[in-house]
Amino acid sequence: GSGGSGGPGGSGGSYRDNQGNLHHYSNGCRGSSGSSGFSGHSGPRGSDGHSGTNGRVAACGSVLWVVSSPEGGVLYEAGTRYDAEVTNLTITSAYNDGIFEPNERILVSGVLVVNSGGLPLPAGSQAFMPSTKTIKFEPTRFDMPEILPSQSFTIPITYYGRIFDEPPPNVPGPFVSSAEFHPRIDLLGRPFEKSHLHQKLVVQYPVKLAYLRSIENLGRGEVSKLEIGVQNISSMPYGSCQGSLGRVVLQIHLDARLIPVGSASVGFSAIPYSVTYNPDIQDSMFVEMHGIPAGETVNVEITVQMESRAELMDRCFWQADLLLRDKLIEYNFEKIRVSPYYIPQDPSSDVLMVTDSSITRKEFVFWQRILEILGVSVDFWDTQRYHGFSIDQQTNTRHQVSWEGRYDGRMILYPHCDLTQLWGIDVVRHFHGGNYRDGPLKDLNSSMVLFMPSRSAHRPQANRFYDRGDVPVLRHLSIVDDTLQLPANAYSGLHIIPPGSCGFTPKPFLKWEKKQLQKLEKEVPSQACTVVERQAQVHSTSIFRYSYGSVDLRRFPLLRSCKLMTYDGAGGCIADMSLDDQNLVPSSVEIPLASNFGQVLMVTLFGIPLRCKLNMLKTKPEEAAQTPTINFTFHLPSGYSLTMPQLVVICMACEIADEVLNCAGTTTRISELVQEIQDNTAAYIERGAVILAGMELVNRELLQRNKKIKHPQVTQAVGAIKRQVNIVQQTLRGAGVAYTAENPLPQLSILQDSFRVHRSNQHRVADGRWNLVDC
């Protein structure tokens, strides 16, 4: 509450002065009011009032339709009005074969109308078939009589329409479409919605091409059959026989390289067909179908022969056109690849090229150009034609006529390499013979160039050895022989601090593996070693000793001197070898060595046998038919250029120097060169200066090999090769060849693109090429 008012002031006092006069003081002021008191506490909240009750649901409303007479009487009354509903109708085609085809007349009859309302449907309603986007009906209308409620009426007339026609097909395969329509009943211009009984027809032709079959690969001069199935899907016969609903003709278009042979055969003996050839329509044959029963398929066979002049790896198309009543209703096509066939030679050719459908004609033209430049003889093995390379994948056995064991000392060239078709043991046998397990490995001077799909094509890496498209090849070959046996508990180490604790040595097994492989390299320096698989389980086995789990160490089953090259490129060997230079064509003589075409040519040149390289350096008579073209210039990124003879001796020098890596002391490659130079000195005089420059390069290559592998046999072989190099130099200089070492030739390793070209069998622990698990 508020404070009380202040009290009145006190009365003033009085006094007398010195003269005795009486004086009075004024009264006191009134006191101030008291302060207000504190507010009291709020009272308790009152309880909520009761909710009101819901109102009652009203009764459902209703509509009553009443039809009155002119006199006012009630004729009809119902809860619904009249309604015309179409519940059924019958659709047939003009040919009545169970198929509705384009431009065919259709008949709609037996339209059943039901009055689903409560009042009689007045007379005067009109029933008709409106045209749609796919069917055009004749403008026929029927005035319907009165229909009592729940009564039905069948319209007694037939409506005629025509399905819209279709132009000749522009895509292969059968024509299948749809056509839609619905009847309609109007009264005073207003439609009854229930009269729209939606109808959808499947529109197709009564005959179609069931299949086209042909062999996928056909060699030059080979004969094969083309099969075409003509199927009648209707309920009536078709063809040129009596009672048929239409003439059926096949027009077969053949590539000019597919030559018809003999006459066609008959699929069903009781249903013949005839084949005719119209000389005015070239490369075409006509097959008159005499009769195709309902629901049957007639198989037409045409025998063709591949022209002997057809280009390898080209695709020959053939097409079948199906005509019904002289109208093209369907077409389809197949293709046959002109594939090579394998014919064993004695002796075998210099190169075995492995092909498949991945090689386009454009790419094969580049390969032809490369092989022509190198002047080598070539055999072909097509993996699709023979269902595999190492084995026939259909029978899972060796081919009756196999390439295996026929190309010792020769090259296998495998564009678009598929390791699932190339057994690793076949690779080892190619380099070391079928009995390689019976004793020390012997280098047969064979070669193999594999073009692998790239996992990371041309991607720059801090360490070039880890951008490796040859990892699948390394793994594929490393598991050919058994794992190297290690002593019990050897895969372990001593650690005062537990591995992995506080970030200390999280992978201690890597250091152990590296040391073990270095030890194995010293024991057998002629072969590389690698880690193929590891099960890392670091755990303590005793005080300070920790086991690392298990590891699979393997020796690479090829000698380091083997000529195994892996080309890493997107899409196999780069289908478009002019990728780096769109103006590069197979006939070019000015080639960028860093281009895909240049790198592929150089890798292939390195792989061909040494005798083929020497043959390219010879001076032959002008009338020699197989003289390889050698007037090429290879441009380097540095601005310098190399001639073809220079590139040949660069590859030859690398091949000769690599032989010392087998650690056997053999020098067969340089011996072959010395023998050839001594026997045919005059043939090498013209390019003798280039050969002498190559001999200087051999000495530099040998110095590099001797530094890589410290082994008595390597040192012995290096000395022997140097002595034979001197013999070559003395022989050519004695024949009048002058040479001054002004511009030394570059090494092959410098010219190769390390991102694309790999010497898989020459990797070392020092190069970081020892671990296949973590790459």
Side-chain angles (χ1 to χ4, degrees):
S2 302
S5 302
S11 300
S14 61
Y15 69 94
R16 290 184 184 277
D17 56 15
N18 295 331
Q19 286 81 20
N21 296 324
L22 183 63
H23 297 275
H24 295 278
Y25 289 102
S26 59
N27 295 331
C29 299
R30 187 178 182 85
S32 59
S33 301
S35 57
S36 301
F38 297 103
S39 301
H41 297 287
S42 300
R45 179 181 178 85
S47 58
D48 295 335
H50 296 289
S51 301
T53 57
N54 294 327
R56 289 177 297 177
V57 178
C60 294
S62 63
V63 176
L64 181 66
W65 297 82
V66 179
V67 179
S68 302
S69 66
E71 292 80 15
V74 177
L75 297 178
Y76 302 100
E77 62 178 12
T80 59
R81 67 178 179 85
Y82 49 80
D83 202 350
E85 180 178 358
V86 177
T87 59
N88 196 17
L89 52 80
T90 301
I91 310 171
T92 57
S93 64
Y95 295 119
N96 197 22
D97 59 354
I99 299 294
F100 299 96
E101 59 181 278
N103 201 35
E104 184 178 12
R105 200 177 188 192
I106 65 172
L107 296 79
V108 182
S109 60
V111 180
L112 182 62
V113 183
V114 177
N115 182 2
S116 58
L119 298 178
L121 177 67
S125 299
Q126 290 189 332
F128 64 100
M129 296 290 169
S131 296
T132 64
K133 294 181 179 180
T134 52
I135 302 177
K136 183 175 180 59
F137 282 94
E138 296 178 0
T140 303
R141 292 176 177 263
F142 178 77
D143 292 332
M144 296 178 55
E146 180 183 25
I147 305 176
L148 296 178
S150 301
Q151 297 296 312
S152 61
F153 175 77
T154 301
I155 298 176
I157 67 172
T158 300
Y159 297 94
Y160 296 94
R162 187 176 294 277
I163 302 173
F164 284 1
D165 197 7
E166 292 292 333
N170 56 8
V171 292
F175 172 81
V176 179
S177 183
S178 63
E180 301 180 7
F181 74 96
H182 59 78
R184 175 172 170 172
I185 300 176
D186 286 0
L187 180 61
L188 301 177
R190 296 183 178 181
F192 292 96
E193 292 183 0
K194 290 185 178 180
S195 69
H196 299 170
L197 183 60
H198 184 76
Q199 299 294 306
K200 185 174 183 178
L201 307 178
V202 177
V203 180
Q204 56 187 340
Y205 292 100
V207 291
K208 68 176 185 177
L209 296 175
Y211 53 81
L212 269 68
R213 297 172 184 163
S214 64
I215 192 170
E216 295 181 0
N217 305 285
L218 196 62
R220 296 167 173 169
E222 289 187 321
V223 176
S224 181
K225 289 182 179 180
L226 311 180
E227 296 185 12
I228 306 103
V230 184
Q231 183 181 10
N232 181 0
I233 62 174
S234 74
S235 59
M236 298 292 288
Y238 275 84
S240 59
C241 62
Q242 187 175 5
S244 168
L245 294 182
R247 180 171 177 250
V248 179
V249 175
L250 272 177
Q251 183 177 0
I252 303 174
H253 305 275
L254 298 176
D255 188 286
R257 294 160 292 187
L258 295 175
I259 305 171
V261 177
S263 60
S265 61
V266 178
F268 293 92
S269 58
I271 310 172
Y273 54 82
S274 57
V275 180
T276 58
Y277 175 75
N278 186 351
D280 296 331
I281 305 177
Q282 295 182 356
D283 305 324
S284 290
M285 302 175 67
F286 294 89
V287 180
E288 179 81 26
M289 310 300 298
H290 293 178
I292 312 174
E296 296 287 344
T297 300
V298 174
N299 183 59
V300 178
E301 293 184 354
I302 303 295
T303 304
V304 296
Q305 182 179 29
M306 182 65 70
E307 188 183 36
S308 60
R309 294 176 297 176
E311 300 287 351
L312 288 178
M313 305 305 160
D314 212 345
R315 273 66 174 173
C316 298
F317 288 85
W318 65 277
Q319 178 176 316
D321 294 347
L322 182 61
L323 290 85
L324 175 63
R325 307 182 195 98
D326 298 326
K327 174 188 175 182
L328 176 63
I329 62 171
E330 183 185 349
Y331 76 92
N332 216 324
F333 63 88
E334 285 291 339
K335 59 184 177 181
I336 300 176
R337 185 170 66 99
V338 186
S339 63
Y341 41 79
Y342 180 68
I343 300 178
Q345 306 289 336
D346 188 18
S348 298
S349 297
D350 302 320
V351 178
L352 174 66
M353 183 174 180
V354 186
T355 62
D356 61 11
S357 61
S358 300
I359 301 180
T360 63
R361 175 60 190 169
K362 179 179 180 181
E363 178 186 349
F364 188 72
V365 170
F366 278 96
W367 279 116
Q368 279 185 310
R369 181 59 172 163
I370 290 175
L371 297 173
E372 288 174 359
I373 291 171
L374 302 183
V376 293
S377 58
V378 185
D379 292 334
F380 294 97
W381 181 281
D382 194 84
T383 58
Q384 288 187 314
R385 180 185 182 90
Y386 299 110
H387 312 293
F389 188 37
S390 288
I391 62 170
D392 187 333
Q393 295 181 341
Q394 290 187 337
T395 62
N396 204 31
T397 59
R398 289 283 188 179
H399 300 87
Q400 292 184 354
V401 179
S402 176
W403 59 270
E404 201 268 333
R406 298 178 184 271
Y407 292 90
D408 296 346
R410 293 165 174 82
M411 180 174 74
I412 293 179
L413 180 65
Y414 198 167
H416 302 276
C417 179
D418 183 359
L419 293 178
T420 62
Q421 301 196 40
L422 175 60
W423 283 5
I425 193 171
D426 284 347
V427 177
V428 180
R429 288 172 175 170
H430 175 64
F431 285 100
H432 300 307
N435 300 323
Y436 74 96
R437 286 194 175 103
D438 296 343
L441 295 180
K442 180 181 178 181
D443 192 350
L444 301 179
N445 290 327
S446 303
S447 63
M448 183 175 289
V449 183
L450 307 177
F451 292 82
M452 302 296 299
S454 175
R455 300 187 305 169
S456 54
H458 306 286
R459 184 180 65 188
Q461 296 284 341
N463 185 344
R464 65 188 180 93
F465 294 113
Y466 283 93
D467 185 20
R468 293 158 50 186
D470 65 334
V471 168
V473 177
L474 290 168
R475 188 180 301 277
H476 191 64
L477 296 180
S478 295
I479 62 176
V480 169
D481 290 335
D482 296 333
T483 183
L484 297 175
Q485 298 297 323
L486 299 175
N489 301 321
Y491 194 45
S492 62
L494 295 173
H495 300 275
I496 298 176
I497 301 176
S501 61
C502 301
F504 182 79
T505 318
K507 296 182 178 180
F509 44 79
L510 294 179
K511 185 176 181 180
W512 184 96
E513 293 169 356
K514 187 173 182 179
K515 287 184 177 179
Q516 184 66 25
L517 292 179
Q518 288 175 335
K519 178 181 177 182
L520 294 172
E521 279 189 354
K522 289 182 180 179
E523 292 176 358
V524 184
S526 60
Q527 291 176 256
C529 298
T530 185
V531 179
V532 175
E533 189 175 358
R534 176 197 311 125
Q535 297 292 332
Q537 296 178 351
V538 181
H539 61 279
S540 176
T541 56
S542 61
I543 299 177
F544 300 137
R545 179 164 290 278
Y546 290 83
S547 173
Y548 302 144
S550 61
V551 67
D552 186 357
L553 305 181
R554 306 282 182 114
R555 272 201 176 90
F556 203 66
L558 301 182
L559 294 174
R560 296 183 189 273
S561 59
C562 293
K563 296 192 295 179
L564 174 65
M565 302 285 283
T566 304
Y567 191 96
D568 178 16
C573 62
I574 310 294
D576 183 3
M577 291 193 199
S578 60
L579 185 63
D580 292 337
D581 183 358
Q582 295 297 330
N583 296 320
L584 181 63
V585 295
S587 58
S588 298
V589 294
E590 301 282 336
I591 301 173
L593 193 58
S595 67
N596 291 303
F597 179 75
Q599 289 290 303
V600 170
L601 190 151
M602 182 171 59
V603 169
T604 309
L605 171 60
F606 176 79
I608 64 175
L610 181 61
R611 65 177 181 278
C612 297
K613 297 184 181 74
L614 291 171
N615 190 52
M616 296 180 68
L617 297 175
K618 277 185 178 180
T619 303
K620 303 183 185 67
E622 294 182 357
E623 64 272 15
Q626 300 297 327
T627 302
T629 304
I630 204 164
N631 297 321
F632 286 85
T633 301
F634 299 91
H635 298 286
L636 307 181
S638 61
Y640 292 97
S641 60
L642 296 172
T643 63
M644 176 60 83
Q646 289 176 324
L647 192 61
V648 170
V649 298
I650 290 173
C651 294
M652 187 171 62
C654 181
E655 177 181 355
I656 292 172
D658 277 347
E659 190 175 13
V660 304
L661 301 179
N662 61 22
C663 300
T666 57
T667 58
T668 58
R669 298 175 185 175
I670 187 65
S671 298
E672 180 180 353
L673 171 64
V674 171
Q675 186 66 40
E676 175 66 19
I677 295 294
Q678 289 179 336
D679 293 345
N680 301 283
T681 305
Y684 294 98
I685 292 178
E686 182 176 342
R687 298 186 180 95
V690 177
I691 297 175
L692 291 176
M695 295 302 98
E696 295 293 336
L697 180 59
V698 169
N699 288 329
R700 299 205 313 273
E701 294 274 14
L702 290 172
L703 180 62
Q704 187 182 64
R705 306 299 190 279
N706 205 13
K707 289 181 179 179
K708 282 186 177 181
I709 299 181
K710 301 295 184 180
H711 191 272
Q713 295 285 5
V714 174
T715 304
Q716 176 184 342
V718 168
I721 292 176
K722 286 184 175 180
R723 288 190 293 272
Q724 295 187 72
V725 165
N726 290 333
I727 295 175
V728 174
Q729 292 173 334
Q730 292 172 4
T731 301
L732 292 176
R733 284 171 177 159
V737 177
Y739 168 71
T740 56
E742 296 179 355
N743 295 315
L745 296 176
Q747 294 177 314
L748 182 64
S749 58
I750 297 176
L751 302 179
Q752 291 175 347
D753 183 351
S754 59
F755 285 101
R756 289 180 281 187
V757 182
H758 308 282
R759 301 293 303 277
S760 304
N761 57 310
Q762 291 191 2
H763 71 267
R764 301 179 306 156
V765 175
D767 299 329
R769 302 297 301 274
W770 53 274
N771 187 351
L772 296 181
V773 179
D774 301 320
C775 59

